[in-house]
Amino acid sequence: MSDLEAIRVAAKAFREERDWEQFQDPKSVMLALVGEVGELAELLQWLPADRAKELIAEEPLHTRVSEELADVLVYLVGLAEQCGVDLGPEALAKIEKSALKHPVATSKGKAPRRV
């Protein structure tokens, strides 16, 4: 069982034990995900860019960032489940597609552009 599948199964059991499945629909899960991303952004938004990695490695910020990232992942896996998306293979396919779109020869050392 993959890590993503283990997360999906554990989160589903957690919801079922509490009878929270009734509140799970794509819109509601997406809004919860956005809320968690907002909480993560709040922790990082004013960190100086040149020291962000260093500061995130220090406690208590490291633990808080870890917890928010975990919340984001749990909701993302839940949203994928609600939408019938097998997230692991889809993410790998997207990376492959991005590799074709941004070949090393023309992209190395350059920030990607949105077109």
Side-chain angles (χ1 to χ4, degrees):
M1 175 182 299
S2 73
D3 288 347
L4 286 178
E5 181 64 13
I7 292 166
R8 189 192 68 71
V9 168
K12 184 173 179 59
F14 177 88
R15 291 188 308 268
E16 286 176 347
E17 290 168 351
R18 289 155 182 80
D19 194 25
W20 288 355
E21 289 284 301
Q22 62 185 314
F23 308 116
Q24 302 292 308
D25 60 82
K27 177 194 66 83
S28 297
V29 178
M30 183 273 305
L31 290 172
L33 173 61
V34 168
E36 294 302 336
V37 169
E39 290 179 23
L40 178 61
E42 185 178 10
L43 293 174
L44 304 180
Q45 68 182 345
W46 300 119
L47 296 180
D50 62 337
R51 294 192 56 227
K53 286 183 182 180
E54 170 190 339
L55 294 171
I56 293 168
E58 297 174 5
E59 293 298 342
L61 185 56
H62 186 265
T63 295
R64 294 185 64 204
V65 167
S66 297
E67 291 171 348
E68 294 306 331
L69 283 168
D71 286 341
V72 167
L73 180 59
V74 169
Y75 279 115
L76 181 60
V77 169
L79 181 58
E81 180 180 20
Q82 286 293 317
C83 296
V85 172
D86 190 351
L87 199 53
E90 290 297 331
L92 292 172
K94 181 64 177 183
I95 292 168
E96 288 178 21
K97 185 176 179 181
S98 293
L100 294 173
K101 183 177 179 182
H102 305 283
V104 174
T106 58
S107 301
K108 191 166 187 168
K110 298 176 185 175
R113 294 177 153 211
R114 280 290 226 202
V115 181

